[in-house]
Amino acid sequence: LYWTGITVGRLASGALGLRLATPLLLLAGIGLSVLASALFWWVPDVSVVSLPMLGLGLAPIFPALMTLTSRRVPEAAIGVAVGLQTASSGLGAAAAPAAVGLVLQSFGLNLRGPSVFAHTLSLVLSGLVHAAGTSRRQVSAEQAGRASTLTPAFDHEPPLL
């Protein structure tokens, strides 16, 4: 069910990405992910709804972050930044399920919902940390009179969170 949601979500976010600003699509995905993971934890009987919803919410996040990278990183460093993002996502895709599996094996499946919710909240936290760092860089750059050299990505779109 989750994979159906993520497949449909990737297709839909590709179409919506033509009409919506990328940061808005990213925020919508994060918001839906939080809602779905909370539903998965607190009302496990409706996992038939919450798991596809979680897939829909998570679907636009990776493509949106890849898109935003090209706007936030100097042109000469885009290849390295995208490579690091791709490698990090591969590492996370391998390590996170293995770690959660070990925790669930040791402490029981009753932690399945809380672990999904905790991972979703870590996504929110990383978005907030990134947004705070971006805002500080913008303020510092404006004070130094060189905002356009540090933050070209936000000439057309607001910060993520």
Side-chain angles (χ1 to χ4, degrees):
L1 294 173
Y2 166 79
W3 290 106
T4 302
I6 205 164
T7 301
V8 170
R10 287 275 167 98
L11 294 171
S13 64
L16 285 172
L18 299 173
R19 300 182 192 277
L20 298 175
T22 305
L24 181 60
L25 195 57
L26 186 58
L27 281 175
I30 291 171
L32 185 59
S33 298
V34 170
L35 178 65
S37 64
L39 189 62
F40 180 72
W41 178 17
W42 292 321
V43 192
D45 292 339
V46 296
S47 64
V48 70
V49 173
S50 62
L51 287 175
M53 229 169 87
L54 184 59
L56 280 171
L58 292 174
I61 294 173
F62 181 77
L65 291 175
M66 295 297 269
T67 299
L68 292 173
T69 296
S70 64
R71 299 177 192 168
R72 293 198 172 126
V73 175
E75 192 170 335
I78 290 174
V80 172
V82 168
L84 287 172
Q85 272 184 300
T86 304
S88 298
S89 70
L91 179 63
V100 170
L102 290 173
V103 168
L104 294 179
Q105 185 176 11
S106 298
F107 299 103
L109 289 176
N110 58 332
L111 293 179
R112 182 182 51 222
S115 69
V116 170
F117 188 70
H119 277 88
T120 307
L121 288 183
S122 72
L123 177 67
V124 171
L125 182 62
S126 66
L128 290 172
V129 167
H130 175 75
T134 300
S135 297
R136 269 192 306 257
R137 284 192 304 271
Q138 283 179 323
V139 168
S140 297
E142 288 169 3
Q143 290 172 349
R146 52 188 180 94
S148 62
T149 61
L150 288 180
T151 56
F154 299 113
D155 289 343
H156 305 316
E157 295 179 322
L160 298 178
L161 297 173

